[in-house]
Amino acid sequence: MTGSPHHVAERGIARTFQNIELFEHATVLQNLLIGRHRHRRTNLLGELLFLPAVRRARSRSARRWSA
């Protein structure tokens, strides 16, 4: 597959490194939610203020990964 890195990432293709380090005091779900920033549809200010749209997006992600 060819293309610029951001086009490849938009297709959901990513790579990880061998030395993955999780946040030690976070749950598995919390670690997954931290990585959702790539698929975020909200803006930085909304994320910083944890506005309702951000809370709804986080809830959707949590439900998807908890199933």
Side-chain angles (χ1 to χ4, degrees):
M1 175 174 287
T2 61
S4 62
H6 72 277
H7 284 122
V8 172
E10 286 172 353
R11 293 184 185 109
I13 300 168
R15 76 178 290 245
T16 60
F17 297 94
Q18 294 292 327
N19 58 348
I20 295 174
E21 200 167 314
L22 301 175
F23 290 94
E24 184 177 347
H25 299 289
T27 66
V28 172
L29 179 59
Q30 289 168 333
N31 274 284
L32 287 169
L33 290 171
I34 290 166
R36 76 183 172 88
H37 72 278
R38 175 61 191 94
H39 301 284
R40 177 177 68 212
R41 298 287 183 248
T42 56
N43 62 40
L44 180 60
L45 182 60
E47 294 281 337
L48 291 172
L49 298 174
F50 204 51
L51 295 177
V54 173
R55 290 194 299 271
R56 286 190 300 272
R58 185 199 179 283
S59 292
R60 281 191 302 272
S61 294
R63 281 193 305 273
R64 189 174 105 211
W65 288 323
S66 294

